[in-house]
Structures are given as C-alpha cells and as structure tokens.
Amino acid sequence: MRHLLPILMIVLGAFANAQEELTLEELLERFSWDFEATEITTENLGDGLYVMFGVGGNIAVSVGEQGVLIVDDMFPEMIPKVKAAIAKIQGGDGDGRIDFAVNTHWHFDHAEGNLAVGPDGTWIIAHERSAEMMATDNPINLVITTYRQQAYPPDARPAITYEDSMGFHFNGERIDLIHAGPAHTAGDTAVIFRKHNAVHFGDVFNNAGYPFIDVDSGGGIDGMIRFCQTILDEIGPEGVVIPGHGPVTDAAALQAYIDMLITVRERVAKLMAEGKSLVEVVAARPTADLDATYGPEMQSLGFVDRVYTSLARDAQ
C-alpha cells in the first residue's frame, strides 16, 4: 500500500484543484503558453493545404484562388501571426484575409480566435451543439482545475451550423464536415480534405499525449472510439491525420490510438465491475504499459478519471 500513497495524494489533490476556477491568464500560465514568444510554424501538406502550429490547437489552412479556409483559430493574440503566415504562402498579392473558419469544437484553445476573425468578417462554422455552447458561459472541468469559458459575442459565434454533415467545394476540392456523435465534447467536427485525403480531428485525436474527454459537456470514451473509427473508415489506410495537438501523422497512428482507447476502456470497465472506486481505479494505473507511448497518464488532464466518469454516467 505504501507505494500507492504518492499516487493517491496526486489523485486527491487533483480532485481538490478541480474546485478551483482559474482565469484565462492563470490557465495560460499553468500551461506555459506564451503568445509573444511563440511564432507560427507552417507545414505544407501539398497543393494548397497547410498546417500551422503555435499556441493552442493546430490550424489547418486551405489557400487557393477562392480564398482561405482555416480549421480552428487558436487565440486572438495569435491571429495577426496566423494572417502573416497565410500572406507569406499567398505571396506578394496576399493579405492573409480569412474567408471561412471551421471550429472543430467550442473549447477556448481552438475557438478563442473567433474573437478576432469574426469581427473581421470571417464566416464561422461549427456543429450546432458547439455553437450553443459558445453562446453561454460554461465551466470546463479539466480535472486538475476548472476554467469558466465566457460566452462569445454574436460576431464571434458561428453564423453557419450543421447537424450531421455538410460539404464545401472550395479551392479545387471537396471539404466535408462530419459529426460522428459525441466524443471529446457533444459537438465535435472532423474536417476531411478529400483531394488530399487528410483530416483535421480537433481534440478527438490528440497526438501529444492522452486525450482529454470533456465528460461534463457530453463527451465520453465510447463516443471517442466510435468517432475515431468512423473517420478512419472514411480516410482509409493512406490517410493523413492532423491532430488537435501534436505533429501531423498517419492512419496507422490513428489505428494505434483507437486500440489504446479500447484497451483502457476495457481495463477500467473491468476494475469497475470488480467494485473499485474512482480513486482505486486511477491508483491501479491501467495505462502503465502505454505510458511509454502516450506519456505519463498522471500528467494528463485526468484521462483515466474521465474514462471512469463517462462509463459510470452511461451505466445509469
């Protein structure tokens, strides 16, 4: 039992900290995100499709004769740098103007840039559930702490919403938006660039560690598995995968991620069936043999905690 005490102390500390609501400035400091020091870096996926990395979620960028469409938009402080990077891609005639912005979901690190692009005339698009969340104040239970995301003003909220799927014909390719059910949140969108066979997943797929599942806003482990498998079936084994966070990867990494989600789900469910409490399940370290690939679970935003919580909720 002695070797479990440090783990139990961390778990109990996380529960205590979850009651603490941080401001955005405090949250940024906790995550060590620095708007001034961080530059935008760009990866070319070929023929007008790019990925930009900076502070917050990754941005996919379609640039062509019809204009610019981005997927997710980081923070308003980063938008001037994003526009400068777009203008550089466009060459001498470009001004970096963004015509369309798709939000993969409503969380601040993917959608806060709406506060800058919306008033500038960008058409914002999201799943209808994400649009609803952006219209009200909502606490995000990050397990280690809580952040209350403020409602966005009307000009920073989606002007276009959809229920199950919608499509664009833009810059020479079909771009499909797919909602495969609640997963990371209740309003997730995967954006598939068909000519490139590339998908931006938002935080349904995280390539920087274990995922965060926003159970309090309708997400769940079973939905994560189902959503990922649905999109993998769409892009096939040759697909390019743009994660919400982390480097661009491939369908093989997505398959391994799905396998990990299934494995952890089964292990947590087994422990729950044995009558183990949440603290006991976390202390059992059901991800121990997976941490070498996905990083220490105890440094995640309560991955095992959220798996347990979503299974307990769905069993009611």
Side-chain angles (χ1 to χ4, degrees), residues 239-273:
V240 176
V241 180
I242 304 166
H245 300 269
V248 176
T249 187
D250 55 21
L254 176 56
Q255 181 63 68
Y257 179 84
I258 294 170
D259 294 343
M260 178 274 291
L261 294 176
I262 293 172
T263 296
V264 176
R265 189 238 186 260
E266 290 176 347
R267 291 174 180 176
V268 171
K270 181 175 183 294
L271 291 167
M272 293 173 69

Side-chain angles (χ1 to χ4, degrees), residues 146-163:
T146 299
Y147 168 63
R148 182 172 293 276
Q149 183 164 318
Q150 301 298 305
Y152 292 168
D155 61 359
R157 300 202 297 261
I160 302 170
T161 63
Y162 75 99
E163 183 176 0

